[in-house]
Amino acid sequence: MVIVGLGLIGGSLAKAFTKYTDCHVAGFDTDPATLEEALACGAITKAGDDCDLAGADIVYLCLYPQADIDFVKTHLSSFQKHTVVTDVCGIKAEVCRGLCALAKEGGFTYCGAHPMAGTEKHGFSASRADLFTGASYILVPCGAPEKVQELLRQTAFALGFGRSVSTTPEQHDRLIAFTSQVPHALACAYVMSPRCPEHRGFSAGSYRDVSRVANINEVMWSELFLDNRTALTEELDTLLKNLTDIRNAVAENDHDKLEELLRQGRLVKEELGE
Amino acid sequence: MVIVGLGLIGGSLAKAFTKYTDCHVAGFDTDPATLEEALACGAITKAGDDCDLAGADIVYLCLYPQADIDFVKTHLSSFQKHTVVTDVCGIKAEVCRGLCALAKEGGFTYCGAHPMAGTEKHGFSASRADLFTGASYILVPCGAPEKVQELLRQTAFALGFGRSVSTTPEQHDRLIAFTSQVPHALACAYVMSPRCPEHRGFSAGSYRDVSRVANINEVMWSELFLDNRTALTEELDTLLKNLTDIRNAVAENDHDKLEELLRQGRLVKEELGE
């Protein structure tokens, strides 16, 4: 296996391969200290080079979207016909378009993916072998053959993933705008309240849960947000509208309207069995 | 001890008294089945009556705000001079005003409180002895003597609370609008997205955390929201403004602005050491 980029996700993949499989992992990272740390703790067996790319069964691209594309461009001649290239980007339309074009040009197979796992921390130091336990592994095949999809799925299950779904880049990005991007935008907007620094002693689980992911890597998330700006803008508009409805019912002291709005929220959760 | 109302909080107080102290608990509840369940599992030693109110050291009012006031009005002649009456309401200005007036009239001592604990479930069946472990116990003394405050604080620590803060009703309500009410409004607004029912396989911790408290008791929360409508409207306006800023940066593809907004969120969390 080759893993390109030993941040939270790449580092965790490396550690999971080492813990749960017999695979040898060659790792790329532009930071020498990270490479050294990954070697020292046994997460990778060697620092990757072009020979590793040429010999790899699967190459996991674990950089930011544009950096993934740039990496493949730079090393295009090293990728072989038998190699399966996949990525872990949180947004798929842009990166799938770029990598599909390069796969055609370079003659390798590309199959997009998005491991639905993470924490509010980032970097190799936050990575851990059990990050993916029970998580969902989203495949975005973009026309990759079924046997390639099956290879990636079975490899994911070996690393601890609990389920896998397949979808198109567009549907992926619409759903991720809701399930992941909106909560991150929300967390940042929430903690900007002038009340936030005074919360200690007056807060419990609700504050903790909504604010958790405000501890954001703003460089990565800005890129992810803007790569998905149509779907994300639409989701944020939906949320702003629904939240404004609740705000107006409160401001206007409209008890029946408020109770009806809150009931709708409860019913959605109940119907989902959550 | 007397506990009036054996819902999530009252039931948990009863169970905590039974588990962690030698106190006998007499419980009031308008639902005979709840009283029976509480007796059967040993959470209370008897169904409460006016003699229990007259003999109690502390009476915990655990109903909704207006119902707490109504209960005391109805049983006013039973409350004695030595009795300390407290409550557990999530909003204080209204309930403190009502109960302070009744304390004057009835000659007992009132000291408001708000145990910062809860779950997205409600009712006696969701109550548990360990609900308060490590939680914050907010005191809203409204002029109650220090020895009364100390009695309530020490009792709270015996039940597992981890800290206690004291404040005025107004400051309490301003902070709670931010730490507790906004997250509940938000959770309901969030799950109303048409994307929500499709989230399975595409979601992880962020979705779970933001949506958790949408499983709301809309009757109780509507009352709590409207009892605090000035502070809550102000907090919702702050959030709507901050979220709109992020939305506009995304829609206008303004990378620098977006990164700056997300950075602000991260810095708040970092400065709080969270």
Side-chain angles (χ1 to χ4, degrees), chain B residues 23-83:
Chain B
C23 298
H24 288 274
V25 178
F28 281 80
D29 202 283
T30 51
D31 177 31
T34 298
L35 273 180
E36 206 169 305
E37 198 183 335
L39 280 165
C41 74
I44 61 173
T45 44
K46 71 184 290 289
D49 57 30
D50 283 286
C51 291
D52 296 311
L53 287 175
D57 296 321
I58 310 176
V59 176
Y60 290 86
L61 302 170
C62 305
L63 306 169
Y64 295 179
Q66 189 54 50
D68 278 343
I69 294 171
D70 293 344
F71 179 91
V72 175
K73 257 187 208 158
T74 309
H75 298 83
L76 196 58
S77 60
S78 303
F79 289 89
Q80 303 299 306
K81 200 174 173 323
H82 70 273
T83 308

Side-chain angles (χ1 to χ4, degrees), chain B:
Chain B
M1 302 296 156
V2 170
I3 296 175
V4 179
L6 298 168
L8 172 66
I9 301 296
S12 295
L13 283 174
K15 288 177 180 175
F17 270 116
T18 303
K19 180 170 177 182
Y20 295 114
T21 76
D22 297 326
C23 298
H24 288 274
V25 178
F28 281 80
D29 202 283
T30 51
D31 177 31
T34 298
L35 273 180
E36 206 169 305
E37 198 183 335
L39 280 165
C41 74
I44 61 173
T45 44
K46 71 184 290 289
D49 57 30
D50 283 286
C51 291
D52 296 311
L53 287 175
D57 296 321
I58 310 176
V59 176
Y60 290 86
L61 302 170
C62 305
L63 306 169
Y64 295 179
Q66 189 54 50
D68 278 343
I69 294 171
D70 293 344
F71 179 91
V72 175
K73 257 187 208 158
T74 309
H75 298 83
L76 196 58
S77 60
S78 303
F79 289 89
Q80 303 299 306
K81 200 174 173 323
H82 70 273
T83 308
V84 172
V85 175
T86 187
D87 72 301
V88 300
C89 287
I91 287 303
K92 305 275 32 133
E94 290 264 331
V95 80
C96 288
R97 200 175 306 127
L99 292 174
C100 280
L102 288 168
K104 218 167 188 177
E105 191 182 338
F108 60 86
T109 304
Y110 168 69
C111 179
H114 179 190
M116 285 302 296
T119 77
E120 66 279 18
K121 304 200 181 81
H122 53 92
F124 184 79
S125 58
S127 68
R128 50 194 179 79
D130 297 326
L131 185 69
F132 309 110
T133 306
S136 180
Y137 187 64
I138 308 177
L139 277 181
V140 186
C142 306
E146 176 50 43
K147 71 170 189 188
V148 167
Q149 298 178 43
E150 191 56 20
L151 169 68
L152 288 176
R153 248 192 312 265
Q154 291 308 325
T155 307
F157 291 146
L159 302 180
F161 284 90
R163 65 185 295 174
S164 181
V165 292
S166 290
T167 190
T168 63
E170 292 70 28
Q171 175 68 351
H172 170 277
D173 290 358
R174 261 192 304 272
L175 281 166
I176 289 303
F178 169 70
T179 60
S180 168
Q181 296 193 316
V182 164
H184 282 80
L186 210 45
C188 288
Y190 177 62
V191 301
M192 283 180 210
S193 163
R195 294 282 92 75
C196 193
E198 311 168 61
H199 83 82
R200 292 254 162 77
F202 295 88
S203 61
S206 304
Y207 166 82
R208 186 190 58 230
D209 284 356
V210 175
S211 71
R212 182 175 60 86
V213 290
N215 218 319
I216 206 169
N217 172 348
E218 70 268 14
V219 179
M220 181 179 80
W221 282 93
S222 294
E223 186 173 336
L224 293 173
F225 278 15
L226 295 181
D227 275 356
N228 197 27
R229 63 178 176 282
T230 308
L232 178 56
T233 302
E234 201 180 300
E235 271 307 318
L236 286 171
D237 283 340
T238 301
L239 177 64
L240 285 164
K241 194 230 162 255
N242 290 332
L243 196 57
T244 301
D245 286 348
I246 294 178
R247 181 259 176 223
N248 289 344
V250 172
E252 291 157 15
N253 204 12
D254 187 340
H255 183 277
D256 292 352
K257 178 78 186 161
L258 180 59
E259 202 173 293
E260 175 53 30
L261 289 167
L262 300 184
R263 181 183 301 116
Q264 279 178 37
R266 177 172 63 76
L267 291 178
V268 173
K269 289 290 272 185
E270 279 186 9
E271 274 159 30
L272 287 166
E274 292 171 357

